Amino acid sequence: MNVSLSLSEEVERMQQGKGRRDLDISVETCLEHFVLPEKLGDLVFCNSCRKKTRTKKQHTFAQLPKILCLHLKRFDAARNKKIDHFVSFPSYGLNMGGLLSHWCEVTRLESSGLDGKKSLPSAKPEILYDLFGTVNHIGNMQSGHYVANVKVDDAWYHCNDQHISYAKEETVTKAEGAYVLFYIRR
Ligand SMILES: [Zn+2]
């Protein structure tokens, strides 16, 4: 499963002061925002109301995969600019459980004050993922270079064309230009 996460929206949120400026963008907040309901610009005909109504759309995860590929959209085509911001991501225990459709619905009901709580447990399920690879882009929109980090038998390797070297986990998570993150379900 490939999920493309918008970084331009995260940068906008930071600039509008909705996020805390001193915090990095994190993959967890990108995912939380990915499942937020979005107001649609055009009115949509509702069969129950028999008229055009304001409508929202929402992405959620009906099922979670064995292998999860998170794509950070660093190439902002609209502005012809690469988004260079650092994005933090966990090497262990990325919890995707709260993003399942059922739990997004529970959260929505709770936050809107509707009574969805009574029959449902309040603890969200933990569905954890561990990092096993990254693709990083170094450079700008016009020119650049891709490198990769991959974990084999608990050791990290840095792959740069034909050069392969040992890498530390913290250099993998702190490296510049993380572009695609590969996670495996625990
Ligand atoms: Zn309606």
Side-chain angles (χ1 to χ4, degrees):
M1 179 190 280
N2 296 297
V3 181
S4 289
L5 299 171
S6 166
L7 292 188
S8 54
E9 283 174 29
E10 296 305 314
V11 172
E12 256 170 53
R13 275 173 206 271
M14 277 207 310
Q15 285 163 350
Q16 289 167 2
K18 284 181 191 167
R20 281 181 51 195
R21 276 158 197 270
D22 54 330
L23 289 182
D24 292 317
I25 298 172
S26 74
V27 122
E28 291 94 331
T29 48
C30 291
L31 283 164
E32 272 170 37
H33 294 150
F34 183 81
V35 298
L36 282 182
E38 246 177 276
K39 282 194 189 104
L40 292 181
D42 294 325
L43 299 178
V44 173
F45 186 81
C46 170
N47 278 324
S48 307
C49 306
R50 312 299 303 167
K51 63 178 183 190
K52 286 194 163 188
T53 53
R54 285 245 163 266
T55 306
K56 290 175 183 173
K57 76 161 186 188
Q58 183 177 22
H59 292 122
T60 59
F61 294 84
Q63 280 183 354
L64 289 170
K66 179 78 184 162
I67 305 291
L68 176 69
C69 309
L70 300 178
H71 161 223
L72 306 176
K73 288 161 80 178
R74 290 197 176 273
F75 301 107
D76 187 343
R79 292 185 187 81
N80 192 32
K81 210 171 157 251
K82 184 181 166 190
I83 299 169
D84 280 315
H85 289 68
F86 179 75
V87 178
S88 68
F89 51 93
S91 33
Y92 293 98
L94 174 68
N95 187 9
M96 295 289 293
L99 309 177
L100 285 166
S101 308
H102 167 73
W103 289 99
C104 290
E105 180 73 3
V106 172
T107 310
R108 193 178 66 76
L109 290 173
E110 281 178 357
S111 63
S112 66
L114 293 171
D115 196 7
K117 285 177 238 180
K118 271 182 188 162
S119 57
L120 295 159
S122 56
K124 287 184 181 177
E126 281 205 334
I127 299 177
L128 301 179
Y129 284 80
D130 299 321
L131 186 73
F132 72 95
T134 73
V135 171
N136 297 54
H137 181 264
I138 300 153
N140 53 39
M141 287 290 274
Q142 286 70 39
S143 72
H145 182 57
Y146 289 96
V147 294
N149 296 295
V150 62
K151 193 180 188 180
V152 182
D153 293 338
D154 263 353
W156 279 100
Y157 297 88
H158 179 70
C159 310
N160 185 347
D161 293 339
Q162 73 272 36
H163 307 290
I164 297 177
S165 53
Y166 287 109
K168 284 185 180 162
E169 191 175 279
E170 56 267 33
T171 53
V172 172
T173 52
K174 295 282 179 287
E176 149 185 29
Y179 181 54
V180 188
L181 307 173
F182 298 90
Y183 281 93
I184 185 163
R185 190 165 168 165
R186 208 178 274 181

